[in-house]
Amino acid sequence: MVDKKLGGAGLRGQSAGETALCTVGMSGTGLTYRGYDITDLAQHSTYEEIAYLLLYDKLPNTTELVDFKHRILASTNLPKELLQTLELLPPTTHPMDVLRTGISLLGNFEPETDFSQQDYNAERLLGACPSIVNYWYNYSHNNRRTDVSSPARSLAEHFLRTLHRFEPDALHARVIDVSLILYAEHEFNASTFTARVCASTLSDFHSCMTAAIGSLRGPLHGGANEAAMAMLERFDSPEHAVQQVKQMLARKELIMGFGHAVYREFDPRNEIIKEWAKKLANHDGDTSWFELACAVEQTMKEEKKLFANADFFHAPAYRYMGIPTKLFTPIFVCSRVAGWAAHVKEQRSNNRIIRPSATYVGSDPRPYIALEDR
């Protein structure tokens, strides 16, 4: 039997290293980025400020922020060869595979030959990721090419502009901005740890990012907001939602978007995005999606004492903004690139290869048996 004290239960509760980037679940609740509380950051800051904070260990002043935004927004354009490759990917391709392929291919056109390029690469990918996924989506699903270099005032606006191909609503742009802030960093989660393991081998920046995307692609890490939306689409009313959720629980079905591996009392990001989802519902004039989500949240609390995590109310929030469900998790990537990049930088700054040991649970030593005797 595996000794759980040695990490048999998915390494939960085990410290795998040190970081100055983030705290998750301190006293069961807290989330900070470099010492700043997530609630304050989501209320007062912008995603570009947060990305700068994570990458450079300080909140930028006005001049630094203007220059940083200029560099990022200048990085939204893509090589024509990359655009041509994206056009070859069929509409059935998983959007996470599109991002993985796009970033990997970009690493061929713009290879990291020296680690001194890591800041450029981080800023480049912050601008490139929304362009990659939205260019592919519009071409493969709507048969139209998108100008990914179109002017925008923020990455949130760039995402919405390249997706919908029109000037985004100001409220929508702000909600995307807050969403990017909430998803930007979360300590040693599976995808971030994957990026650090890759970085610890002294691999290149683009390999670290594609490795992280591959880890996030798994449904036990990314995709909970997509699963939540798929579930909400099955319900006709709040009453129907309550009835169906109770039946799902009776069948012991997994309901995505609830509970957390680290938080014990609540996810501090949930109340933030829930409030923005409510504003979007009132702005839209149709509160049905929000009411369905609230009914499910209350039922899960009453029946299982489980709280909604950051993913759950992102589902109705994104739906109100007309974002296709299959692009929910790619938004996560567009945001988390900042955190992944900061962790790669941190790993490289004081590196030792990450090579843990394992507890052997196989057969006792046994003699080799020749082929003719088996």
Side-chain angles (χ1 to χ4, degrees), residues 201-216:
T201 70
L202 301 185
S203 189
D204 67 289
F205 192 89
H206 296 84
S207 292
C208 296
M209 296 299 106
T210 55
I213 290 173
S215 183
L216 182 62

Side-chain angles (χ1 to χ4, degrees), residues 11 36 43 71 215 230:
L11 294 177
Y36 294 97
Q43 181 177 354
R71 294 195 302 271
S215 183

Side-chain angles (χ1 to χ4, degrees), residues 124-146:
R124 172 64 161 130
L125 289 182
L126 285 171
C129 282
S131 298
I132 289 171
V133 71
N134 285 341
Y135 185 90
W136 164 79
Y137 181 82
N138 270 305
Y139 185 84
S140 64
H141 289 66
N142 302 315
N143 196 31
R144 59 191 186 190
R145 294 184 172 93
T146 301

Side-chain angles (χ1 to χ4, degrees), residues 110-363:
E110 302 173 6
E112 183 184 53
T113 57
D114 187 278
F115 287 177
S116 64
Q117 298 171 293
Q118 63 183 356
D119 288 340
Y120 167 80
N121 288 327
E123 295 177 5
R124 172 64 161 130
L125 289 182
L126 285 171
C129 282
S131 298
I132 289 171
V133 71
N134 285 341
Y135 185 90
W136 164 79
Y137 181 82
N138 270 305
Y139 185 84
S140 64
H141 289 66
N142 302 315
N143 196 31
R144 59 191 186 190
R145 294 184 172 93
T146 301
D147 180 8
V148 293
S149 64
S150 60
R153 289 159 291 192
S154 67
L155 276 176
E157 185 178 295
H158 173 68
F159 178 87
L160 291 170
R161 185 191 293 270
T162 52
L163 175 62
H164 296 313
R165 294 166 57 93
F166 55 75
E167 185 75 17
D169 181 279
L171 175 61
H172 291 188
R174 178 54 184 161
V175 175
I176 290 294
D177 194 61
V178 171
S179 176
L180 294 175
I181 291 172
L182 297 180
Y183 277 139
E185 164 57 6
H186 218 233
E187 199 225 48
F188 278 21
N189 55 82
S191 57
T192 298
F193 192 63
T194 301
R196 292 192 72 129
V197 171
C198 189
S200 79
T201 70
L202 301 185
S203 189
D204 67 289
F205 192 89
H206 296 84
S207 292
C208 296
M209 296 299 106
T210 55
I213 290 173
S215 183
L216 182 62
R217 191 195 189 290
L220 293 184
H221 185 16
N225 46 25
E226 296 181 28
M229 192 68 247
M231 177 182 64
L232 292 177
E233 288 174 338
R234 293 156 49 187
F235 305 146
D236 300 328
S237 66
E239 295 75 20
H240 184 226
V242 172
Q243 177 191 56
Q244 291 297 307
V245 168
K246 288 182 178 180
Q247 292 180 9
M248 292 170 69
L249 291 173
R251 295 191 296 268
K252 300 187 182 304
E253 295 182 23
L254 180 62
I255 298 180
M256 301 297 286
F258 290 87
H260 196 272
V262 179
Y263 297 121
R264 291 293 175 260
E265 300 174 17
F266 66 93
D267 186 334
R269 300 167 297 176
N270 175 59
E271 288 302 317
I272 297 170
I273 196 60
K274 180 180 179 180
E275 186 60 31
W276 284 106
K278 182 178 180 180
K279 292 178 181 179
L280 286 168
N282 292 329
H283 180 72
D284 186 75
D286 177 7
T287 61
S288 58
W289 291 116
F290 182 74
E291 291 170 356
L292 286 174
C294 287
V296 174
E297 181 188 37
Q298 185 62 31
T299 303
M300 290 296 290
K301 181 179 180 179
E302 293 174 354
E303 297 292 319
K304 302 295 290 185
K305 294 182 172 55
L306 285 175
F307 56 86
N309 59 39
D311 294 316
F312 187 67
F313 277 93
H314 266 99
Y318 288 165
R319 174 54 59 89
Y320 280 123
M321 293 183 284
I323 298 172
T325 302
K326 67 193 310 178
L327 298 187
F328 287 8
T329 308
I331 298 176
F332 193 133
V333 174
C334 294
S335 168
R336 189 58 62 85
V337 162
W340 290 337
H343 276 277
V344 168
K345 289 182 61 178
E346 187 175 60
Q347 182 66 37
R348 287 174 168 181
S349 70
N350 184 29
N351 186 60
R352 290 187 67 182
I353 189 169
I354 298 174
R355 200 294 188 192
S357 298
T359 302
Y360 180 68
V361 295
S363 300

